[in-house]
Amino acid sequence: MKFVRVKTYEEMSTLAADLMAAQILVKPDSVIGLATGSTPVGMYKKLSKYNKAGKIDFAKVKSFNLDEYAGLDGTNEQSYRYFMNDKLFNHINIDMANTHVPNGCAADLALEGEQYDAMIAEAGGIDMQLLGIGFDGHIGFNEPDDHFTAPTHGVVLDESTIDANSRFFEKREDVPTMAISMGMRSIMQAKKILFVANGKGKEDIVNKAFFGPITPEVPASILQLHPDVTVFFSEE
Ligand code: F6R
């Protein structure tokens, strides 16, 4: 694991964007795994800039997002599909047909998960997976549990996750209580992991994840078993 500690959010975003850009430069048809949340927003801005300046080309890139709220379709401004279009896809030359976000409106989330994992496998697996971390140690929406879950699956969100994400909604009651999340198999099978963390209060959980025991109570701790993880941690 490479652990890079930087001072500012800006630095973290630049380093993360540069690593993703390098991936796409060396493999133009890369399959990238993407995350939502506030942490990658700066990185997505940089990638959009690089694309506009002709420095990277997304024409052949395929993307798979980690997760989606249950019951929100892509037209809903709180959905992760909407977020991705708004923060990245609408600003780069990616083919929208090559962008994938799990369908949170699927009647059967387990079946949707199976199909999502099959699509990732068919694309050849993920070359570089971007991850953030929740205050409870979640990656994607893999919440603390007594076991790790392998396939993409439906999840009940933790109260702490609902609290944290309520900042994006008008009222806490509007935050969906369920979601669909890529499971540990597709995440851990990614060839490289690009992990970003910033913001007050993340230091403790990042320490637990990377320097504590591997336990499903801290879902991100499974990354200690991954052979190629780069962490960009901003002190800001
Ligand atoms: C969202 C996701 C989540 C976030 C995590 C941190 O797609 O994968 O695991 O990375 O909740 O969110 P922020 O960046 O808002 O602190």
Side-chain angles (χ1 to χ4, degrees):
M1 177 185 59
K2 220 177 273 165
F3 196 97
V4 185
R5 199 179 168 112
V6 296
K7 282 257 175 291
T8 66
Y9 177 74
E10 181 70 15
E11 269 176 284
M12 184 201 75
S13 301
T14 304
L15 289 173
D18 286 348
L19 191 56
M20 184 66 85
Q23 169 66 39
I24 294 168
L25 211 75
V26 296
K27 186 170 185 259
D29 60 348
S30 285
V31 179
I32 55 176
L34 297 175
T36 60
S38 49
T39 314
V41 170
M43 168 189 175
Y44 289 161
K45 270 197 191 132
K46 305 247 170 212
L47 286 174
S48 306
K49 236 180 165 175
Y50 294 166
N51 184 231
K52 283 220 165 61
K55 291 183 185 161
I56 39 166
D57 182 7
F58 285 87
K60 293 189 188 142
V61 169
K62 288 196 179 112
S63 74
F64 287 89
N65 261 79
L66 284 165
D67 44 15
E68 179 60 282
Y69 287 119
L72 301 193
D73 72 22
T75 61
N76 187 307
E77 290 187 17
Q78 307 300 342
S79 71
Y80 285 171
R81 160 54 77 179
Y82 190 96
F83 175 101
M84 288 310 301
N85 290 351
D86 186 47
K87 303 289 184 222
L88 184 65
F89 300 149
N90 288 343
H91 309 287
I92 58 176
N93 70 330
I94 199 163
D95 179 349
M96 276 291 181
N98 285 339
T99 69
H100 305 88
V101 179
N103 177 10
C105 292
D108 182 340
L109 293 181
L111 182 63
E112 167 66 14
E114 244 175 66
Q115 290 167 347
Y116 200 70
D117 286 335
M119 274 198 294
I120 294 173
E122 201 177 315
I126 294 168
D127 291 302
M128 181 175 278
Q129 175 67 54
L130 172 67
L131 294 173
I133 186 168
F135 290 108
D136 61 359
H138 69 228
I139 47 175
F141 271 142
N142 291 279
E143 297 283 30
D145 207 340
D146 57 6
H147 62 284
F148 291 111
T149 304
T152 297
H153 58 291
V155 283
V156 176
L157 298 179
D158 269 15
E159 289 299 317
S160 71
T161 300
I162 293 174
D163 282 342
N165 290 4
S166 62
R167 69 190 192 278
F168 299 113
F169 290 78
E170 227 169 83
K171 308 191 288 297
R172 189 185 186 279
E173 301 79 74
D174 295 342
V175 186
T177 54
M178 287 198 63
I180 178 167
S181 176
M182 200 187 277
M184 293 307 191
R185 189 181 302 127
S186 291
I187 293 175
M188 290 298 285
Q189 284 179 352
K191 294 180 188 80
K192 300 183 196 79
I193 302 280
L194 164 52
F195 185 101
V196 285
N198 86 300
K200 278 199 172 56
K202 287 276 170 82
E203 184 151 22
D204 186 41
I205 195 65
V206 168
N207 263 323
K208 279 191 183 138
F210 290 104
F211 306 107
I214 297 172
T215 162
E217 286 165 26
V218 181
S221 64
I222 199 171
L223 296 171
Q224 292 181 44
L225 295 176
H226 195 284
D228 191 336
V229 181
T230 304
V231 179
F232 292 117
F233 178 78
S234 119
E235 291 172 4
E236 203 168 58

